[in-house]
Amino acid sequence: IIYTSGSTGQPKGVMIDHRGAVNTILDMNARFEIAANDRILALSALTFDLSVFDIFGMLAAGGSIVMPSAADLHDPAAWVRLIQTTGVTIWNSVPALLDLLLNALEARPIAPPPSLRQIWLSGDWIPLHMPERIWALWPNMQIISLGGATEASIWSIFYPISQIDPQWRSIPYGYPLANQSWH
């Protein structure tokens, strides 16, 4: 049983079978070339669905899990230090946590950690300005939007973000205004 944010905003426990979770993990590792030299910063609670990949996906590939201390769990400056000192290569979180990391990096006059090669975002909508903030720090960063019902073994859809259509940049929260249509 793992917990999902739920469409109501209230966490709910859902049961997934072992086979479904393994299928997701093996697919993600193959699709995104996760290997023994990869490291992930594990920020998600162990009861939250994103932690399934943090632990089992990384271990299945022979990679490493970097876990912040309890004191550093909510400190984006500590995350930056951990990424730099341990060579974290994969970021997997909800967009709100990445926003905290980006704020910390944008406030510091240092280069962003070069080891990150992929950013995976799921669990909530991605603000339209976020990919451009990421690319300002890491011009070649691969950004992956993941989603789907936890009941379908965590993720069932993905979309590599490669650009943001300029027509959407001025729309608050990324939703079309009443007089605009979806394309």
Side-chain angles (χ1 to χ4, degrees):
I1 295 177
I2 55 178
Y3 287 82
T4 176
S5 54
S7 57
T8 64
Q10 294 295 318
K12 63 178 180 177
V14 297
M15 187 169 61
I16 61 172
D17 65 18
H18 180 79
R19 184 179 305 166
V22 169
N23 185 55
T24 297
I25 287 165
L26 295 177
D27 177 72
M28 295 295 288
N29 283 348
R31 186 177 306 275
F32 297 109
E33 300 176 346
I34 306 301
N37 61 332
D38 280 307
R39 289 174 171 72
I40 199 161
L41 183 61
L43 294 176
S44 294
L46 296 178
T47 55
F48 187 51
D49 59 354
L50 298 188
S51 72
V52 173
F53 185 85
D54 289 353
I55 297 168
F56 300 107
M58 200 51 61
L59 292 178
S64 300
I65 305 164
V66 177
M67 298 184 75
S69 68
D72 291 340
L73 188 57
H74 303 289
D75 181 1
W79 304 344
V80 172
R81 287 190 302 275
L82 280 170
I83 294 169
Q84 290 173 319
T85 60
T86 64
V88 167
T89 58
I90 306 296
W91 178 275
N92 175 34
S93 80
V94 295
L97 290 179
L98 180 63
D99 187 55
L100 294 173
L101 177 73
L102 294 175
N103 289 341
L105 288 169
E106 291 165 346
R108 300 178 72 181
I110 62 168
S115 60
L116 274 179
R117 66 181 185 87
Q118 293 179 0
I119 291 177
W120 300 358
L121 297 169
S122 60
D124 202 355
W125 64 277
I126 301 169
L128 289 175
H129 66 279
M130 187 171 276
E132 290 175 342
R133 288 176 67 201
I134 294 166
W135 292 321
L137 294 166
W138 296 281
N140 298 313
M141 181 59 67
Q142 185 179 20
I143 306 168
I144 308 297
S145 172
L146 296 157
T150 301
E151 295 86 343
S153 296
I154 305 134
W155 299 305
S156 54
I157 59 171
F158 78 94
Y159 183 79
I161 300 171
S162 60
Q163 66 181 12
I164 301 298
D165 189 326
Q167 75 170 341
W168 298 109
R169 287 189 189 126
S170 62
I171 298 172
Y173 307 110
Y175 298 107
L177 301 175
N179 62 351
Q180 293 182 329
S181 63
W182 290 92
H183 290 90

